[in-house]
Amino acid sequence: MRRLPVYLLLDTSGSMRGEPIESVRAGLRAMVDSLRQDPLALDSVHLSIITFYAYVKVLVPLTPVEQFLVPELVPPDSGPTHLGRALKDVCRQVDREVQKSNASVKGDWRPILFIMTDGAASDKQAFEEAIEEVRRRKFGVVIACAAGAKAKPDELRRLTDRVYTLETMDSTSFESLFRWVSSSIEVNSSSIGVTSEVILPPPPVDVNPVL
Amino acid sequence: MEVIIKARLEKLNGVSGTDDHFELSAVRVIVGTESRTSQNMVQISGDGVKGKHAELIHEGEFWRFHPLEGAESWVNDKPVAARDIRLKDRDVLAFGNRTQRYRFCLHSTESRSLPNGNEGKLYRETVSASTLFGSVAPLGYFDLKDNCGTGLQMTYSGDQLTFEGILVGSGQKQLIVEVCHPAQEIEDSSGGRRTKPEIRRDKPISLFVNPDPRALWKEIEPADGLPFRTPHTLALRVEAKDHLIIAASRRGRSHAHDGTFREDDVKVVHDSSSGWSVMIVSDGAGSAKYSRQGSRLVCETAGRTILPALVAVEADGSFEKNCERYFNNDRAESLRSLQSALYRTLAPAAKTAQRAIAEEAGRIEGASENDFAATVLLTIVRRYAFGTFVATFGIGDGGVGIYCDGSDDGNAHETIVLNVPDGGAYAGQTRFITSRDVWVSGDEILRRIRFDIVGRFTAVLSMTDGVSDPKFQTDDNFRDSSYWSGLWEELRTEIDFNGEKPEQQLLEWLNFWSRGNHDDRTLAILMPR
């Protein structure tokens, strides 16, 4: 069986406290539900959730979607957004968890990385270094979502050309965001990675591509 | 049964790390000047840790904290002097060394959720009530008041609850367990005794039941008006004087679910005057939009061009002589001659197929050759009096092997693998007939040509990865005869090769269930008779 590893890197900095973080959790639940309704995803998708604010936490290591339980997300009162450090930790997890092919092991599909942040990276130097690290991991696709008014889509553009903005941070928007992420995952779980061009389904109305 | 406690220490200062998640009921902590890599980080490890700093042991509702001698520790910022301290959820504990203190917050990640189950499958999970509900002591009895139609039953022993049953239905379920705290004698504030009455509470527990994946697959017809329409199945049979060839190809569940076409194709040909047989299987790339036409062009073009080339090479009888010499281990000259003959026949047939794809791409507005990307496994077979000659030319994954079953005469099973798949570091990465680097040099082309001559054999099998992935999983297994004998056993159980329509039975067999393997499947079999 070939696994499709999906890493969700979620900003849980202080500004996410309250409704936004609860909405993210509701969105995650909707995403997992929809993945479980897709027979291909149910067989292949493995999810990991990594959260970051000042510190990075591997909240859920790579877990088959059928065993996945949506975790609690607890943002601190305040603090910096260490996106660079978080990306480096994602790379470390990928090195540790994603299986490459060899004669005796069937390799995984190329991993998918989804990043959601509502601020700008406060560790500029680490972020610079992380851009190159992420590039070297050869993700199947990297999708970045800048949520709310304070997010910096231009910064995310340096990581990937698939950057989207989410203007409102209520549960409806997050739910449609995560449903779209899950349909993007489903598309990828059935496509073969010969070409680097991954086609994503059109995003919902609340989610706007940054061109 | 051992109860696994899930908990984590949230690091409140120090370097961010990924070592702070554990699933153990006892944890040893070291403050790391122990190893160079840990650089003053706190490491947590289940066992085998030297230089212990403290131990955390889970006991029912709380954690017991044992700082070890000489180590500095703090609980909720108060220095710890004694051993055996009870920690509650969200207590802050800190470990120190000469220069720094590392603070952690203890979170149990236990929630009132049972591990997920699977529809139609036996479910059996034992959990401790105190883990599930937090503090419930002293415990009386438990009763599963509502199983939410899941078919589960619950038994308990002490505080261990066991949920068991074949799961019915799917989705998010909420079970209700009644927890009873029996009446007890307690001392009141005035020093007298009174009876605290029995308390019963309904506690909800969530359980997610995954749907049965077999029930989720849909069978959708591709949209009208799409070009290059392809039937969902194909079954072929060719009967030659001394052998039989059957082949079948079937649209994968993943394509049926998405309403897309089968992208595999297969062709089998036999020329009775020269005695040559040809099997071609091709797997169109999932990401290439016209790959079904690519695989069709590969099979048709190579199938059409290979036979005249083989007839020509056979014309002066030297090919057969070289085969015989090679078979009799006189290989000095014969190897080179055979390689050269194969290079002149197999490579041009594949190259013509690639050109046909390039021309087709040129005819379609906006299309490129890559839109038709497909693999090719071209196999040629000729039976001679002394033995059977088999050669292959392959680009991409899937595989070809000559299998010799030993079960009837007590010999070992043997397999000669004739194709080395092109794989990348990740799944789905392979080469195609349209890949530029395949055609760069004569050596690169020669590398893809393999042949052998066998005396006795059971069958030559050529398959796309839709069959080789579920049946062999890895390249190592593909070289392992026990996997081949397993496959052959399945095939000969399901298919009556001497029957009326063995190719239809092969097509039926291709429908087998294998978790996570839902690609198009194609298998061609040549067997002597």
Side-chain angles (χ1 to χ4, degrees):
Chain A
M1 199 188 70
R2 297 166 163 184
R3 308 187 305 170
L4 175 65
V6 178
Y7 288 87
L8 303 174
L9 180 59
L10 306 178
D11 185 342
T12 54
S13 60
S15 49
M16 291 293 291
R17 217 166 226 291
E19 196 194 341
I21 204 72
E22 282 315 310
S23 305
V24 167
R25 196 156 181 258
L28 278 177
R29 218 177 281 126
M31 182 188 85
V32 171
D33 277 357
S34 122
L35 287 175
R36 283 177 181 143
Q37 290 302 323
D38 180 88
L40 212 54
L42 189 60
D43 268 2
S44 56
V45 171
H46 284 55
L47 287 175
S48 171
I49 296 190
I50 300 174
T51 60
F52 69 102
Y53 49 102
Y55 309 110
V56 187
K57 276 188 281 181
V58 179
L59 214 52
V60 184
L62 209 57
T63 305
V65 70
E66 59 166 26
Q67 288 167 26
F68 191 87
L69 292 169
V70 177
E72 294 287 344
L73 303 170
V74 193
D77 291 329
S78 61
T81 305
H82 283 162
L83 177 58
R85 190 181 278 181
L87 287 166
K88 287 183 178 184
D89 278 5
V90 168
C91 292
R92 208 162 65 195
Q93 286 297 98
V94 166
D95 294 344
R96 196 181 287 184
E97 294 174 327
V98 176
Q99 181 63 55
K100 292 189 180 175
S101 290
N102 62 43
S104 58
V105 180
K106 196 94 228 170
D108 293 332
W109 296 108
R110 282 161 71 190
I112 292 176
L113 172 59
F114 171 78
I115 305 159
M116 192 281 299
T117 175
D118 76 333
S122 23
D123 52 348
K124 298 292 179 213
Q125 180 64 35
F127 182 76
E128 287 301 317
E129 292 160 12
I131 291 172
E132 191 44 40
E133 291 250 337
V134 169
R135 192 161 296 143
R136 272 207 299 271
R137 292 314 182 283
K138 301 212 182 320
F139 286 95
V141 58
V142 178
I143 304 169
C145 175
K150 278 181 261 159
K152 294 273 190 296
D154 289 347
E155 193 174 73
L156 297 172
R157 285 280 294 178
R158 303 193 48 215
L159 272 174
T160 173
D161 47 11
R162 295 166 196 278
V163 177
Y164 299 82
T165 56
L166 189 70
E167 270 154 38
T168 46
M169 292 167 73
D170 57 18
S171 59
T172 329
S173 328
F174 272 113
E175 199 168 312
S176 60
L177 170 70
F178 279 101
R179 279 201 192 280
W180 173 68
V181 172
S182 85
S183 55
S184 306
I185 294 170
E186 285 158 25
V187 165
N188 281 281
S189 65
S190 60
S191 82
I192 313 283
V194 256
T195 55
S196 50
E197 197 55 34
V198 173
I199 296 155
L200 298 180
V205 280
D206 301 328
V207 181
N208 304 303
V210 178
L211 300 169
Chain B
M1 180 195 151
E2 190 192 358
V3 183
I4 304 293
I5 308 299
K6 292 191 182 190
R8 63 197 159 87
L9 290 172
E10 180 185 357
K11 205 165 284 180
L12 299 175
N13 68 341
V15 185
S16 72
T18 52
D19 297 323
D20 58 356
H21 190 104
F22 54 92
E23 292 191 7
L24 297 159
S25 51
V27 178
R28 259 150 267 171
V29 180
I30 58 166
V31 172
T33 42
E34 287 293 309
S35 87
R36 264 172 296 155
T37 51
S38 60
Q39 288 186 351
N40 282 335
M41 282 174 65
V42 170
Q43 288 194 340
I44 294 164
S45 175
D47 50 29
V49 176
K50 289 183 198 151
K52 282 181 284 184
H53 190 94
E55 276 183 343
L56 280 169
I57 294 159
H58 190 265
E59 282 179 18
E61 304 132 55
F62 54 87
W63 289 81
R64 222 175 258 284
F65 181 53
H66 294 289
L68 300 183
E69 217 162 302
E72 288 183 77
S73 309
W74 295 262
V75 169
N76 297 331
D77 292 322
K78 292 196 185 81
V80 171
R83 281 177 65 90
D84 203 14
I85 307 207
R86 284 183 178 202
L87 290 180
K88 296 184 306 296
D89 207 20
R90 304 198 182 252
D91 273 351
V92 172
L93 61 160
F95 315 109
N97 64 9
R98 279 188 304 271
T99 51
Q100 229 179 327
R101 238 192 249 187
Y102 302 93
R103 294 169 77 239
F104 291 86
C105 183
L106 186 68
H107 290 280
S108 51
T109 50
E110 44 92 341
S111 64
R112 291 180 185 183
S113 285
L114 290 169
N116 298 344
N118 295 310
E119 183 183 5
K121 294 273 170 65
L122 177 68
Y123 185 85
R124 189 172 199 281
E125 287 291 339
T126 300
V127 287
S128 103
S130 45
T131 306
L132 206 54
F133 306 123
S135 171
V136 289
L139 299 165
Y141 65 84
F142 303 92
D143 179 31
L144 180 61
K145 271 174 87 175
D146 181 4
N147 73 0
C148 198
T150 54
L152 287 181
Q153 301 203 317
M154 189 193 76
T155 53
Y156 67 96
S157 161
D159 91 325
Q160 301 291 301
L161 309 181
T162 299
F163 296 86
E164 190 168 1
I166 307 272
L167 286 168
V168 180
S170 66
Q172 188 66 55
K173 306 287 175 189
Q174 197 173 61
L175 317 177
I176 306 287
V177 171
E178 183 184 54
V179 180
C180 171
H181 308 277
Q184 57 177 323
E185 292 267 295
I186 52 167
E187 215 165 288
D188 64 18
S189 49
S190 59
R193 299 187 72 79
R194 66 178 179 87
T195 303
K196 194 179 164 197
E198 178 186 275
I199 305 169
R200 293 181 189 199
R201 289 217 170 85
D202 286 351
K203 305 263 187 179
I205 304 170
S206 54
L207 165 70
F208 190 88
V209 184
N210 292 300
D212 179 355
R214 295 187 199 219
L216 293 176
W217 290 107
K218 294 187 205 121
E219 187 95 25
I220 299 174
E221 283 307 306
D224 292 341
L226 287 173
F228 309 124
R229 304 192 75 81
T230 306
H232 301 326
T233 61
L234 176 65
L236 306 167
R237 183 180 74 231
V238 168
E239 298 196 33
K241 184 163 57 52
D242 52 10
H243 61 275
L244 166 74
I245 313 171
I246 59 170
S249 182
R250 175 178 280 282
R251 179 168 77 148
R253 284 179 202 97
S254 59
H255 286 156
H257 190 74
D258 293 344
T260 50
F261 288 109
R262 171 169 59 96
E263 291 165 347
D264 275 10
D265 204 6
V266 59
K267 178 113 184 152
V268 294
V269 229
H270 174 70
D271 178 60
S272 55
S273 58
S274 68
W276 279 105
S277 282
V278 179
M279 305 194 283
I280 306 161
V281 304
S282 176
D283 175 358
S287 58
K289 61 182 168 185
Y290 302 136
S291 66
R292 57 190 180 278
Q293 178 68 355
S295 61
R296 182 180 302 144
L297 286 169
V298 164
C299 288
E300 281 177 5
T301 315
R304 199 172 53 238
T305 52
I306 188 76
L307 270 180
L310 291 173
V311 172
V313 93
E314 183 78 6
D316 66 354
S318 64
F319 190 83
E320 180 174 356
K321 283 201 188 74
N322 281 318
C323 284
E324 191 162 12
R325 283 198 196 107
Y326 184 88
F327 186 63
N328 293 320
N329 284 319
D330 172 13
R331 295 188 176 174
E333 286 295 310
S334 59
L335 173 64
R336 192 177 297 253
S337 308
L338 289 174
Q339 276 178 334
S340 155
L342 292 171
Y343 187 84
R344 282 179 286 119
T345 48
L346 293 175
K351 186 66 190 166
T352 314
Q354 183 261 318
R355 278 201 210 98
I357 286 174
E359 283 165 24
E360 183 84 349
R363 277 193 289 274
I364 292 173
E365 179 121 8
S368 81
E369 239 184 287
N370 284 333
D371 293 330
F372 296 83
T375 67
V376 59
L377 283 174
L378 172 55
T379 308
I380 56 171
V381 182
R382 174 77 166 84
R383 301 203 72 199
Y384 295 112
F386 54 86
T388 302
F389 172 87
V390 184
T392 65
F393 175 86
I395 303 170
D397 46 21
V400 184
I402 310 171
Y403 176 65
C404 187
D405 194 272
S407 50
D408 292 338
D409 49 14
N411 290 329
H413 305 300
E414 281 177 57
T415 314
I416 299 163
V417 169
L418 284 175
N419 178 59
V420 183
D422 292 290
Y426 295 105
Q429 292 181 315
T430 189
R431 285 199 176 73
F432 299 100
I433 198 164
T434 48
S435 306
R436 292 267 168 261
D437 55 356
V438 169
W439 302 105
V440 288
S441 71
D443 281 348
E444 175 64 25
I445 294 167
L446 202 55
R447 188 176 75 74
R448 299 179 177 279
I449 295 174
R450 296 285 168 108
F451 76 91
D452 211 325
I453 303 166
V454 289
R456 206 176 60 91
F457 73 105
T458 307
V460 180
L461 296 99
S462 175
M463 65 197 90
T464 57
D465 65 345
V467 174
S468 61
D469 273 0
K471 295 301 171 191
F472 295 89
Q473 293 96 40
T474 67
D475 293 353
D476 277 352
N477 295 350
F478 200 74
R479 292 185 204 98
D480 182 340
S481 282
S482 61
Y483 285 85
W484 285 87
S485 72
L487 172 61
W488 187 251
E489 200 50 47
E490 264 188 60
L491 287 169
R492 77 165 168 196
T493 312
E494 295 297 323
I495 301 167
D496 175 10
F497 291 104
N498 299 314
E500 281 273 293
K501 294 212 161 158
E503 72 278 14
Q504 288 298 335
Q505 292 174 308
L506 175 60
L507 183 64
E508 278 308 305
W509 175 82
L510 285 177
N511 218 0
F512 63 82
W513 182 265
S514 167
R515 193 175 172 212
N517 293 298
H518 309 294
D519 200 0
D520 295 342
R521 293 172 179 161
T522 302
L523 176 61
I525 306 172
L526 182 149
M527 51 197 304
R529 60 183 205 180

